[in-house]
Amino acid sequence: MSTRIDSLYELLENRDFLNPETANIFSPFFFFTYDAANEYQVRKEIELLKEKLKRPLAMADTLVINIYELVLEFLKARSVSSMTTFDIMMELDKKDSHAVMLRLERILAGDDFTKYLIDKIQSHISDNTGLKKVYVFIYGIGSIYPYLRANKLVSRIEQYVKDYKVIVFYPGTLANSNFTLFGQLNSKSIYRANHLNTLLP
């Protein structure tokens, strides 16, 4: 089972790619596509990759975000009339799951969630660990679908991403500028992102 994570490490520790400005020609967003069947293997390798990037060749401290877990954290941190938004969603789901989907899509498209995510990233960037803060890894795209789609995520945060690169681990394929989640669900073209696989050695 090949996920090409080793090749990904070779690219990420490359001195030229470690320079955040190398993305400014087009976009600081990079999508790494892989077979959805390898999801849990990729998740393990993401953590290994994070540790390898701390080594002397790269000296990079990478923030890893499971976007699904972050959404749950965000919903549990918000409260309305002594109930968290998460609890409200759970109660509503018992009556009308479609209404839950619509409400969650609206919440996750809002400024509050965008700020929550960006604040998380900025807190990491500003924390002086003595290592480079070049990369933010985001995974869990398949788990949070359809409440938050990859193209919506990129469009919401792109104006805030500066001086670092966001690498989205995407369980799907790319063909003719269109990403396809799980190899079956067509997504809108994410023209703001680079296809990282094409850059691998």
Side-chain angles (χ1 to χ4, degrees):
M1 179 170 57
S2 174
T3 60
R4 302 201 69 191
I5 292 291
D6 286 341
S7 295
L8 180 56
Y9 171 70
E10 290 182 40
L11 174 66
L12 297 185
E13 62 87 23
N14 180 277
R15 182 177 298 177
D16 289 336
F17 199 79
L18 276 165
N19 179 358
E21 294 183 0
T22 58
N24 289 349
I25 297 173
F26 182 55
S27 166
F29 292 91
F30 296 80
F31 273 53
F32 177 76
T33 56
Y34 58 93
D35 189 332
N38 296 335
E39 177 67 27
Y40 291 103
Q41 178 65 25
V42 168
R43 291 188 180 197
K44 290 178 183 178
E45 293 182 350
I46 287 172
E47 293 299 328
L48 293 174
L49 183 57
K50 174 184 177 179
E51 293 306 310
K52 289 176 72 173
L53 286 169
K54 291 180 180 178
R55 296 175 184 175
L57 281 177
M59 295 291 287
D61 184 4
T62 303
L63 175 62
V64 176
I65 296 175
N66 180 335
I67 196 66
Y68 176 79
E69 294 293 341
L70 188 74
V71 166
L72 292 182
E73 181 184 302
F74 170 73
L75 295 175
K76 291 176 180 179
R78 288 165 47 105
S79 60
V80 179
S81 300
S82 77
M83 286 184 71
T84 67
T85 302
F86 176 81
D87 290 332
I88 292 172
M89 293 295 103
M90 293 297 289
E91 288 298 316
L92 181 59
D93 189 54
K94 296 174 183 177
K95 304 172 185 177
D96 189 344
S97 58
H98 182 66
V100 170
M101 184 178 75
L102 294 177
R103 186 174 295 187
L104 274 178
E105 285 181 341
R106 188 165 58 251
I107 289 172
L108 298 181
D111 292 339
D112 287 349
F113 178 68
T114 300
K115 184 177 185 302
Y116 192 83
L117 172 56
I118 293 301
D119 283 351
K120 180 80 66 174
I121 294 173
Q122 289 301 328
S123 177
H124 167 78
I125 297 295
S126 62
D127 184 21
N128 185 10
T129 62
L131 299 175
K132 303 181 187 75
K133 303 296 182 71
V134 182
Y135 304 124
V136 174
F137 293 169
I138 297 179
Y139 72 95
I141 296 296
S143 300
I144 199 58
Y145 180 89
Y147 309 108
L148 180 61
R149 301 168 194 250
N151 63 307
K152 297 287 187 181
L153 176 64
V154 170
S155 65
R156 291 294 298 178
I157 69 173
E158 63 175 335
Q159 63 179 307
Y160 303 102
V161 177
K162 295 179 177 64
D163 301 322
Y164 60 90
K165 297 176 179 177
V166 175
I167 297 174
V168 178
F169 291 82
Y170 189 87
T173 58
L174 171 65
N176 300 320
S177 299
N178 289 312
F179 286 93
T180 305
L181 191 66
F182 310 133
Q184 299 179 341
L185 302 170
N186 290 327
S187 177
K188 292 183 179 179
S189 175
I190 309 177
Y191 63 88
R192 300 174 185 85
N194 305 280
H195 191 200
L196 193 57
N197 302 59
T198 63
L199 304 177
L200 298 184

Short mmCIF file of all heavy atoms in Angstrom, two decimals, residues 51-83:
data_model
loop_
_atom_site.label_atom_id
_atom_site.label_comp_id
_atom_site.label_asym_id
_atom_site.label_seq_id
_atom_site.Cartn_x
_atom_site.Cartn_y
_atom_site.Cartn_z
N GLU A 51 6.84 14.62 12.87
CA GLU A 51 8.02 14.41 13.70
C GLU A 51 9.30 14.47 12.87
O GLU A 51 10.32 15.03 13.31
CB GLU A 51 7.92 13.07 14.43
CG GLU A 51 6.81 13.01 15.48
CD GLU A 51 6.92 14.14 16.49
OE1 GLU A 51 8.04 14.33 17.03
OE2 GLU A 51 5.92 14.83 16.73
N LYS A 52 9.28 13.90 11.67
CA LYS A 52 10.47 13.92 10.81
C LYS A 52 10.85 15.34 10.42
O LYS A 52 12.04 15.66 10.28
CB LYS A 52 10.22 13.07 9.56
CG LYS A 52 10.18 11.58 9.83
CD LYS A 52 9.83 10.79 8.57
CE LYS A 52 10.97 10.77 7.57
NZ LYS A 52 10.68 9.86 6.43
N LEU A 53 9.85 16.21 10.26
CA LEU A 53 10.12 17.59 9.85
C LEU A 53 10.79 18.41 10.95
O LEU A 53 11.30 19.50 10.69
CB LEU A 53 8.83 18.27 9.38
CG LEU A 53 8.32 17.83 8.01
CD1 LEU A 53 6.91 18.34 7.76
CD2 LEU A 53 9.27 18.32 6.91
N LYS A 54 10.78 17.89 12.18
CA LYS A 54 11.47 18.59 13.27
C LYS A 54 12.97 18.35 13.24
O LYS A 54 13.72 19.04 13.92
CB LYS A 54 10.91 18.12 14.62
CG LYS A 54 9.50 18.55 14.91
CD LYS A 54 9.05 18.02 16.27
CE LYS A 54 7.63 18.44 16.60
NZ LYS A 54 7.16 17.88 17.90
N ARG A 55 13.40 17.37 12.45
CA ARG A 55 14.81 17.01 12.41
C ARG A 55 15.63 18.12 11.75
O ARG A 55 15.09 19.00 11.08
CB ARG A 55 14.97 15.69 11.65
CG ARG A 55 14.31 14.51 12.35
CD ARG A 55 14.39 13.25 11.51
NE ARG A 55 13.69 12.14 12.11
CZ ARG A 55 13.52 10.96 11.53
NH1 ARG A 55 14.01 10.74 10.32
NH2 ARG A 55 12.86 10.00 12.15
N PRO A 56 16.97 18.06 11.93
CA PRO A 56 17.85 19.16 11.47
C PRO A 56 17.71 19.57 10.01
O PRO A 56 17.93 20.73 9.69
CB PRO A 56 19.25 18.60 11.77
CG PRO A 56 19.05 17.72 12.96
CD PRO A 56 17.71 17.08 12.75
N LEU A 57 17.38 18.66 9.10
CA LEU A 57 17.28 19.04 7.69
C LEU A 57 16.22 20.13 7.47
O LEU A 57 16.41 21.06 6.71
CB LEU A 57 16.97 17.83 6.82
CG LEU A 57 18.15 16.92 6.48
CD1 LEU A 57 17.68 15.72 5.67
CD2 LEU A 57 19.23 17.68 5.72
N ALA A 58 15.09 19.99 8.15
CA ALA A 58 13.98 20.95 7.96
C ALA A 58 13.83 21.89 9.14
O ALA A 58 13.58 23.08 8.97
CB ALA A 58 12.67 20.20 7.72
N MET A 59 13.95 21.37 10.36
CA MET A 59 13.77 22.16 11.58
C MET A 59 12.43 22.91 11.54
O MET A 59 12.35 24.11 11.79
CB MET A 59 14.93 23.15 11.75
CG MET A 59 16.27 22.50 11.97
SD MET A 59 16.38 21.69 13.58
CE MET A 59 16.51 23.12 14.67
N ALA A 60 11.36 22.18 11.21
CA ALA A 60 10.04 22.79 11.06
C ALA A 60 9.07 22.23 12.08
O ALA A 60 8.99 21.02 12.29
CB ALA A 60 9.50 22.56 9.65
N ASP A 61 8.34 23.12 12.73
CA ASP A 61 7.29 22.76 13.69
C ASP A 61 5.95 22.88 12.96
O ASP A 61 5.49 23.98 12.67
CB ASP A 61 7.35 23.70 14.89
CG ASP A 61 6.34 23.32 15.97
OD1 ASP A 61 5.65 22.30 15.81
OD2 ASP A 61 6.24 24.07 16.96
N THR A 62 5.34 21.75 12.65
CA THR A 62 4.14 21.73 11.81
C THR A 62 2.88 21.59 12.65
O THR A 62 2.80 20.73 13.54
CB THR A 62 4.22 20.55 10.81
OG1 THR A 62 5.41 20.68 10.04
CG2 THR A 62 3.01 20.52 9.91
N LEU A 63 1.89 22.41 12.36
CA LEU A 63 0.59 22.29 13.02
C LEU A 63 -0.26 21.31 12.22
O LEU A 63 -0.42 21.45 11.01
CB LEU A 63 -0.12 23.64 13.06
CG LEU A 63 -1.55 23.64 13.62
CD1 LEU A 63 -1.57 23.19 15.09
CD2 LEU A 63 -2.19 25.03 13.48
N VAL A 64 -0.78 20.29 12.90
CA VAL A 64 -1.64 19.29 12.26
C VAL A 64 -3.06 19.47 12.79
O VAL A 64 -3.29 19.42 14.00
CB VAL A 64 -1.14 17.86 12.55
CG1 VAL A 64 -2.10 16.83 11.95
CG2 VAL A 64 0.27 17.65 12.00
N ILE A 65 -4.01 19.68 11.88
CA ILE A 65 -5.41 19.90 12.26
C ILE A 65 -6.29 18.83 11.65
O ILE A 65 -6.34 18.67 10.43
CB ILE A 65 -5.89 21.29 11.79
CG1 ILE A 65 -5.11 22.40 12.50
CG2 ILE A 65 -7.39 21.45 12.03
CD1 ILE A 65 -5.46 23.80 12.00
N ASN A 66 -7.00 18.11 12.50
CA ASN A 66 -8.09 17.24 12.05
C ASN A 66 -9.32 18.14 11.98
O ASN A 66 -9.87 18.52 13.02
CB ASN A 66 -8.29 16.09 13.03
CG ASN A 66 -9.42 15.15 12.63
OD1 ASN A 66 -10.34 15.54 11.91
ND2 ASN A 66 -9.35 13.92 13.11
N ILE A 67 -9.74 18.52 10.79
CA ILE A 67 -10.79 19.52 10.65
C ILE A 67 -12.11 19.05 11.25
O ILE A 67 -12.91 19.85 11.76
CB ILE A 67 -10.96 19.95 9.17
CG1 ILE A 67 -11.75 21.26 9.05
CG2 ILE A 67 -11.55 18.83 8.35
CD1 ILE A 67 -11.05 22.46 9.61
N TYR A 68 -12.35 17.75 11.22
CA TYR A 68 -13.56 17.19 11.83
C TYR A 68 -13.54 17.42 13.35
O TYR A 68 -14.52 17.88 13.94
CB TYR A 68 -13.66 15.71 11.51
CG TYR A 68 -14.83 15.01 12.18
CD1 TYR A 68 -16.12 15.12 11.67
CD2 TYR A 68 -14.63 14.24 13.32
CE1 TYR A 68 -17.19 14.48 12.28
CE2 TYR A 68 -15.69 13.60 13.95
CZ TYR A 68 -16.96 13.71 13.42
OH TYR A 68 -18.02 13.09 14.05
N GLU A 69 -12.40 17.09 13.97
CA GLU A 69 -12.28 17.28 15.42
C GLU A 69 -12.34 18.77 15.78
O GLU A 69 -12.90 19.14 16.82
CB GLU A 69 -10.96 16.67 15.92
CG GLU A 69 -10.89 15.16 15.80
CD GLU A 69 -11.86 14.44 16.71
OE1 GLU A 69 -12.34 15.07 17.68
OE2 GLU A 69 -12.16 13.26 16.45
N LEU A 70 -11.78 19.62 14.93
CA LEU A 70 -11.81 21.05 15.20
C LEU A 70 -13.24 21.58 15.15
O LEU A 70 -13.62 22.43 15.96
CB LEU A 70 -10.94 21.81 14.20
CG LEU A 70 -10.77 23.30 14.53
CD1 LEU A 70 -9.83 23.47 15.72
CD2 LEU A 70 -10.25 24.08 13.33
N VAL A 71 -14.04 21.09 14.21
CA VAL A 71 -15.44 21.50 14.13
C VAL A 71 -16.18 21.10 15.40
O VAL A 71 -16.95 21.90 15.98
CB VAL A 71 -16.12 20.89 12.89
CG1 VAL A 71 -17.65 21.03 12.98
CG2 VAL A 71 -15.61 21.58 11.63
N LEU A 72 -15.97 19.88 15.89
CA LEU A 72 -16.61 19.44 17.13
C LEU A 72 -16.19 20.33 18.30
O LEU A 72 -17.02 20.72 19.13
CB LEU A 72 -16.25 17.98 17.42
CG LEU A 72 -16.82 16.93 16.47
CD1 LEU A 72 -16.40 15.53 16.94
CD2 LEU A 72 -18.33 17.01 16.38
N GLU A 73 -14.91 20.64 18.36
CA GLU A 73 -14.38 21.51 19.41
C GLU A 73 -15.06 22.88 19.36
O GLU A 73 -15.45 23.44 20.40
CB GLU A 73 -12.87 21.64 19.22
CG GLU A 73 -12.16 22.50 20.24
CD GLU A 73 -10.70 22.65 19.90
OE1 GLU A 73 -10.01 21.61 19.80
OE2 GLU A 73 -10.23 23.79 19.70
N PHE A 74 -15.20 23.41 18.17
CA PHE A 74 -15.84 24.71 17.96
C PHE A 74 -17.30 24.69 18.41
O PHE A 74 -17.77 25.58 19.12
CB PHE A 74 -15.74 25.09 16.49
CG PHE A 74 -16.56 26.29 16.09
CD1 PHE A 74 -16.19 27.57 16.47
CD2 PHE A 74 -17.72 26.13 15.33
CE1 PHE A 74 -16.96 28.67 16.10
CE2 PHE A 74 -18.48 27.22 14.95
CZ PHE A 74 -18.10 28.50 15.34
N LEU A 75 -18.04 23.65 18.01
CA LEU A 75 -19.46 23.55 18.37
C LEU A 75 -19.65 23.40 19.87
O LEU A 75 -20.62 23.92 20.43
CB LEU A 75 -20.10 22.36 17.64
CG LEU A 75 -20.16 22.46 16.11
CD1 LEU A 75 -20.70 21.16 15.53
CD2 LEU A 75 -21.02 23.65 15.67
N LYS A 76 -18.74 22.72 20.52
CA LYS A 76 -18.85 22.52 21.97
C LYS A 76 -18.42 23.76 22.75
O LYS A 76 -18.78 23.91 23.93
CB LYS A 76 -18.01 21.31 22.39
CG LYS A 76 -18.57 19.99 21.90
CD LYS A 76 -17.68 18.81 22.25
CE LYS A 76 -18.28 17.50 21.72
NZ LYS A 76 -17.42 16.32 22.03
N ALA A 77 -17.67 24.64 22.11
CA ALA A 77 -17.22 25.88 22.76
C ALA A 77 -18.27 26.98 22.69
O ALA A 77 -18.22 27.95 23.45
CB ALA A 77 -15.91 26.36 22.14
N ARG A 78 -19.23 26.85 21.77
CA ARG A 78 -20.30 27.84 21.61
C ARG A 78 -21.52 27.42 22.43
O ARG A 78 -21.85 26.25 22.51
CB ARG A 78 -20.74 27.93 20.14
CG ARG A 78 -19.74 28.60 19.24
CD ARG A 78 -20.05 28.33 17.78
NE ARG A 78 -21.45 28.51 17.43
CZ ARG A 78 -21.94 29.54 16.75
NH1 ARG A 78 -21.13 30.51 16.36
NH2 ARG A 78 -23.21 29.62 16.45
N SER A 79 -22.17 28.40 23.04
CA SER A 79 -23.36 28.07 23.82
C SER A 79 -24.48 29.07 23.56
O SER A 79 -24.24 30.24 23.30
CB SER A 79 -23.04 28.04 25.32
OG SER A 79 -22.58 29.30 25.76
N VAL A 80 -25.71 28.55 23.61
CA VAL A 80 -26.91 29.36 23.44
C VAL A 80 -27.90 28.92 24.51
O VAL A 80 -28.30 27.75 24.56
CB VAL A 80 -27.54 29.17 22.04
CG1 VAL A 80 -28.81 30.01 21.91
CG2 VAL A 80 -26.55 29.54 20.94
N SER A 81 -28.29 29.85 25.38
CA SER A 81 -29.26 29.53 26.45
C SER A 81 -28.83 28.30 27.25
O SER A 81 -29.59 27.35 27.45
CB SER A 81 -30.65 29.30 25.85
OG SER A 81 -31.10 30.45 25.17
N SER A 82 -27.57 28.30 27.69
CA SER A 82 -26.97 27.27 28.54
C SER A 82 -26.75 25.93 27.85
O SER A 82 -26.32 24.96 28.47
CB SER A 82 -27.81 27.05 29.82
OG SER A 82 -28.98 26.29 29.55
N MET A 83 -27.03 25.85 26.56
CA MET A 83 -26.74 24.64 25.80
C MET A 83 -25.66 24.93 24.77
O MET A 83 -25.66 26.00 24.16
CB MET A 83 -27.99 24.12 25.07
CG MET A 83 -29.03 23.48 25.96
SD MET A 83 -30.40 22.79 24.97
CE MET A 83 -29.58 21.38 24.19
#
